[in-house]
Amino acid sequence: MKALYFSAGSVNQRREQSTLIRGLLRRQPRWMVYASLGLLVPLLMSLFAVSPMNASSALATCVQETTLANGVTVLVKEISTAPVVSLQVWYRVGSAQEPQGQNGIAHQLEHLMFKGTESRPLQFGQLFNAIGSVTNAFTSYDVTAYHHTVRADQLQSLLILEADRMLNSQITPENLDSEKRVVISELQGYENSPEYRLSRVMMATLFSNHPYGLTVGGTAADVEQFSLEQVKDFYRQYYRPDNAVVVITGGIDPNQALTMVQETFGQLKNPDRPAGTATLPPPQPPSGPIAPITLQEPGSAPFLQILYPLPGLLHADAPALEVLDAILSGGRSSRLYQALVETGKVSAVNSYAAMLQAGGWFEIAAIASTNEDLSGVEPIIQDIIETVQTQAIAPGELQRAKNQLRANFILRNRDIDSQGSQLAYDQTVAGDYRYSDRLLAGIEAVTASDIQRVAQTYLQTNQRVVGRFQPTEITDDELMPLSGRQTTEHFYAGDPVDPASVAQYLPQGLESLTATNLSHGRDTAAQISTFTLKNGLRILFLVDTSTPTVTLAGRIHAGTAYDLLTTPGLASLTADNLLNGTQTQDALTLATTLEDRGITLDFSTFRDGVDIEGYALSADLDVLLKNLADVLQGASFPANDFENSQQRALTGLHLEADDPVRVGRRIFQQTLYPQNHPLHPFPTLESVGRIQRQDLLDFYRQAYSPDQTVLTLVGNFDLDRVRSLFVEDFGHWQPSGPALSLEFPEVGLPEKTIFVNQVMPGKPQAITYLGSPGIDRLDPRFYAALLLNHIIGGDTLSSRLGVEIRDRLGLTYGIYSFFAAGPQAGPFLIQMQTAPGDTPQAIQATLSLLRDLRERGVTSAELEAAKRSLMNSYPVELASIDTLARSLLGNALVGLDPGEVLRFPDRLAAVTLEEVHQALQELIHPDRMVIVSAGPAISFSPREP
């Protein structure tokens, strides 16, 4: 059960880590990140709007299915916990249905669907933004999908817009030329990844005579040759009522929703021509052994990929293959992890089962550890597979895999957007919205003999494709500006989009929100309880009985900012070792205890602190809390595990050195902030290599303290009982000494713009950062800056930067801006991805736009539109259990009370145009910025103002 989407870039880049792909019922795979159009979220806003489901029920419970007279399939599911809805419009067409010689045309059309219609000739992203919709789209092998989450009272507006563009999209030569440049930028960005390059070759080998062997987005050469008539013909053939699935989930009456769909999509007529067929023959497996593939190119670490052909998702073996996947790589107790990661042979290993309509594949992937090669890894993997094929799985191991799959499915589908996406996928790809429920039932019925049988049937050495990536040597160039000629272009920033011109194309009027009509029928602030133990540990509780789950979010003031006082890399390495065992249990026992119940407990290190994330079914909350308390109070940092984690950290640094996003951000930070600033240090191979186990023990005792820790718990639990559990589990935790303290010196603007170009071999796309010192969360200009940022670059398709740099000039796949405003002042940043030939023009056009903005200011209409957009989207954000937990935590960390979450609309409404202009003049300085471009060589010099 696998939806593979073409998108590979992360919209929310909070977790800037390399990850391997996971199965759909477990971790969301990288290709499922919804970033196909680069639609980026505003400052401090969550990506997904979600509201909880009754997870104790089957996904398909209470779904109302209807087929309209014109063939549109409609699914509606009421989830009445918040007035928020998710709208999914999926088409039964993807890259697998493309005509021969037109690889990538489905994805190209997806981009063009945002360029306007005959009656609404403007960027649809601006319309979606105006009504507060969190919107995106993706193209996969079997489907193309457009999805939104919005206030329930804006559903009709979304339906009108989606119905309009189903048949009336404006596909013009100008729009096609512009979006071709954007798509090529996107495709070249994927080429930055060695994993993508190797996978492309391997898929072409495994499916040499099938559409699944082609990349979903095609290549730059494919895109360049698309003709206008080819795109129009593909659009007319597949974008039609009888080829569409519309799914609505959330806080709306099903009958009312169906009436709206009938009044919009129901009025559309199918074209006279027959619909294109989506049926594909199954791929033919290899007829014999295939020679291994070796890719030797610039990179950072060797890695291995093995592919085996699988049947389609409707095959009876699908449940057993999901369980086999979990047994092989489902957590620390899994077989691949124990054999390869725990022994230090690889730094990461994973597997997943991808099952599409016509066929699929099973992948095993591993990244070699530092100073290790791949020669001994493949035989170990084969030994593990042969053991599974010949020896029965123990009952406990089998049940653990089932529990993981069940718990992860429930936790992942708590929100309306995930439910809508899953129902749409099941209906469009599997042909039945009840597919997931049947799959889960099938998983429960899987036996040990089933695991042996599917391993024997599908993991055959004579049908697999083995790929190895061997990086060529990377030289560590000096991090210094490359001199180049002054660009001669003087770009005029086009006039900003007049909000009035957007409003005239909106289906209906919009009303602003205040805190009084944002309560969703519940006084969130009044329901929040704050509890402080005698040792200083603070916990915020919010009971929500709508799901049998709990979300734990926390932060310990032990982040990488403290590397300034110790050794760069020490804070992260300490957090990475927390789950390696305690005084009472070793790492495997701890992992098994959690994984037996499908509990997730993770620690992630950032500048401001170590974030705690815990997810569990409500019945397992006791186990989650007890093990968290054990880890925070009694981590033992075993020597062998420390050495392995240190090697993984070194491998991670090698991987980061090959990632333009990470390299560019590091150079930006170290250029903007002086060496005595906590935001300056970054780990190096040398600094991590000299860290000793005793350093971790010392930092753990100093920094991990109850009075430096804040937790939030949101979900279904008995408040009095849980308070008692915290006293019992955490009450004996005592500070070991005075808290560590840091000074954050004030950072001034550079005297003039500084440009740094870090050349990275083999990177076809540049990642560029432009920025300057910013503000902290408690700065009185925060809300004015939030609105200003929304206008400048808070959304790739509707902001000034998006309209000018992406939409009008077609220079970038994605551009956005943000203020990193936390407990301490972070930078104001603009980030974009461009082809090297377009980078100088894109930088200069961005600077010109900022200069023009400072000179002419923003209009009152722009400000009101920004307020309306953020206010309309706020209920979408507030409806999320996980986002709410993280928001409460963030407010607590800077000293704001729980009620601040409800004051957000009124804070925005109170901002004046004068305050925005003040923030603009004080915070945006286009001629005193740090500009860093990582990737190809760039010829650029900042021009004098």
Side-chain angles (χ1 to χ4, degrees), residues 793-807:
D795 184 279
T796 284
L797 295 186
S798 62
S799 64
R800 284 207 184 190
L801 287 173
V803 169
E804 178 72 5
I805 312 302
R806 185 196 189 279
D807 221 37

Side-chain angles (χ1 to χ4, degrees), residues 298-326:
S300 55
F303 59 84
L304 171 74
Q305 292 182 347
I306 306 174
L307 300 182
Y308 304 85
L310 291 181
L313 80 169
L314 295 180
H315 196 279
D317 286 338
L321 286 164
E322 290 285 355
V323 179
L324 172 62
D325 175 25

